[in-house]
Amino acid sequence: MEKILVVDDDLGIQKQLKWSFTGYDVVFADDRTSAITQLRRHEPKVITLDLGLPPDPANATEGLAALQEILALSPNTKVIVVTGNNDKVNALKAIELGAYDFYQKPIDSDTIQVLVSRAAQLYDLEQENRHLSAVAPSMDRIIGNSEQILAVSKKAERIAQTDISTLLLGESGTGKEVFARSIHEHSLRKKKAFIAINCASIPENLLESELFGYEKGAFTGANKTTPGKIESAQGGTLFLDEIGDMPVGLQAKMLRFLQERVIERVGGRTEIPVDIRVICATHRDLNSMVAEETFREDLYYRIGEINIVIPPLRERGNDVILLGKTFLNQYNEDFKTKVKGFSDSATQAMLQHRWPGNIRELQNKLKSAVIMAESAYIQPDDLGLQVNEELSTMRTLNLREVREEAESKAIRYAFQVAERNMSRTAELLGVTRPTLYSLIDKYHLEDIKTGS
């Protein structure tokens, strides 16, 4: 059972929180010294910390000192500070010092349960990501711990130290260039250049000279001999993004280069040997383009000796939260802002959103949110998102809480179907009347008990 440390010198509060956290192993401390002792002994994921600790319970000095000491010893622990109902200044100061969140008395069991559950989930996500980074540092550019992203990361890691031609497939914004750079950075060519070119962003009449270079006088304006992107990648990696947008006429010349590893500059007659690795990417369906004869079949098989399909963000579960926190830290530094994190509703909105623009869309929304946010925590409006309440019923991954919520809903629904008849309600639920009454008491369904 997971441990929670409650730091509070009020025995009444201790008992209330012990009752609230029935799904956890709750340990207690009543001052700063005992808090540090319990922290070292139990290493809890989450701590609730009353700022008013002895020997100066009327002020927050001792509580803030305890917070700093806790975070110095265990920086990954999530600390929820508990303050008086008129002590917002010290609550915000605690957040600045690194507290995960704050809660003002009087304590409401349901609310603080949600706070602790969210903090524990975040701790687990961050811990797992740190573990993955430690055991698989070769793919350190790729952030995420979903099964989908781990599978493709492992595939990329296995091919990184080979020269096999790789085709990265996936929707726009899924991070294909990030994968390509990661493969290069952990290949035998990592000390040489990584050259990227987007085949869709360069006009067709310029793309050939961009790729292959040109000789002086090859065309009007060619005042000097200029190497192309392929030559510039000598010894390293060439990343051809949106290869599906390459003109058919240029595809033949690209195929010859890939087969023979030589190029000729535009206007030139000399064959130039090139030793590079080629990674291509596209969001297009190349199989359909081959069938329609808008993409050469022989080139398709040449560039795709290994295919890696990068999953869209909507299929990566909680990865959106890990990515969001990573980008948030980066943008805080870039824009000199001090946004602490995401509100619960913002987290829900991010998990619900379909992200048609994938990671690029997430980055754009976060940049705007970091700049425009008016509070320490990003809200759904800051991201331009809304929370769908029907999809927000699953508030926790704690199995006890999930079971309780599901059973409560089932009892309420059966009560309505049975037209408020308790015997019929028990029959619909498949339980005895005494069991039904026991569940009603357990889940505090007072409205059913009174028949209101």
Side-chain angles (χ1 to χ4, degrees), residues 123-278:
Y123 180 97
D124 288 339
L125 285 171
E126 292 177 345
Q127 187 78 353
E128 188 172 355
N129 202 46
R130 282 189 293 271
H131 171 71
L132 291 170
S133 297
V135 298
S138 60
M139 293 291 113
D140 53 3
R141 276 184 174 269
I142 302 167
I143 300 167
N145 58 21
S146 62
E147 290 184 12
Q148 294 86 340
I149 206 67
L150 289 178
V152 292
S153 297
K154 185 175 182 180
K155 193 172 184 179
E157 182 179 355
R158 292 183 67 178
I159 66 156
Q161 299 211 2
T162 72
D163 267 346
I164 194 166
S165 295
T166 304
L167 177 60
L168 304 177
L169 301 169
E171 297 176 8
S172 293
T174 49
K176 294 187 285 292
E177 184 168 346
V178 172
F179 265 83
R181 286 186 181 275
S182 191
I183 291 170
H184 168 74
E185 289 171 359
H186 300 93
S187 72
L188 300 176
R189 298 178 179 272
K190 61 185 177 183
K191 294 184 179 179
K192 300 293 184 177
F194 176 89
I195 302 296
I197 185 168
N198 189 314
C199 299
S201 65
I202 299 174
E204 182 176 342
N205 61 329
L206 298 179
L207 184 57
E208 181 179 5
S209 58
E210 278 289 316
L211 282 169
F212 294 92
Y214 52 86
E215 297 287 345
K216 180 180 180 180
F219 49 81
T220 302
N223 299 320
K224 62 178 181 178
T225 297
T226 303
K229 297 290 187 181
I230 296 175
E231 274 187 85
S232 300
Q234 188 72 268
T237 300
L238 175 69
F239 175 54
L240 296 173
D241 199 6
E242 299 302 350
I243 186 74
D245 290 86
M246 179 174 284
V248 175
L250 189 54
Q251 290 176 24
K253 190 168 183 178
M254 180 59 64
L255 177 64
R256 178 174 180 264
F257 152 63
L258 290 172
Q259 288 175 331
E260 301 178 18
R261 298 291 164 162
V262 295
I263 62 168
E264 291 181 11
R265 298 186 187 126
V266 176
R269 297 183 178 180
T270 303
E271 291 186 343
I272 303 171
V274 181
D275 172 27
I276 63 173
R277 178 184 194 152
V278 177

Side-chain angles (χ1 to χ4, degrees), residues 378-398:
I378 289 175
Q379 304 298 324
D381 287 347
D382 299 324
L383 293 163
L385 301 177
Q386 292 183 337
V387 177
N388 184 332
E389 296 298 337
E390 293 182 0
L391 299 177
S392 298
T393 55
M394 185 65 73
R395 299 182 305 165
T396 176
L397 296 180
N398 181 283

Side-chain angles (χ1 to χ4, degrees), residues 4-10 12-14 16-18 20-21 26 28-29 46-54 56-67 70 78-95 98-109 111-113 115-116 119 377:
I4 292 177
L5 172 57
V6 172
V7 184
D8 200 305
D9 64 329
D10 186 324
I13 296 294
Q14 287 187 10
Q16 183 180 358
L17 291 178
K18 184 178 180 66
S20 298
F21 303 142
V26 186
F28 297 96
V46 181
I47 296 174
T48 67
L49 171 65
D50 187 354
L51 291 184
L53 293 178
D56 188 18
N59 295 296
T61 306
E62 191 70 7
L64 292 172
L67 171 64
I70 288 168
K78 305 304 174 190
V79 182
I80 300 171
V81 297
V82 181
T83 71
N85 58 4
N86 293 317
D87 196 13
K88 190 173 182 179
V89 172
N90 283 315
L92 295 177
K93 186 173 182 180
I95 296 296
Y100 165 73
D101 207 342
F102 71 89
Y103 185 80
Q104 292 178 305
K105 297 177 183 178
I107 288 176
D108 175 76
S109 295
T111 303
I112 203 161
Q113 280 179 24
L115 283 177
V116 168
Y377 288 86

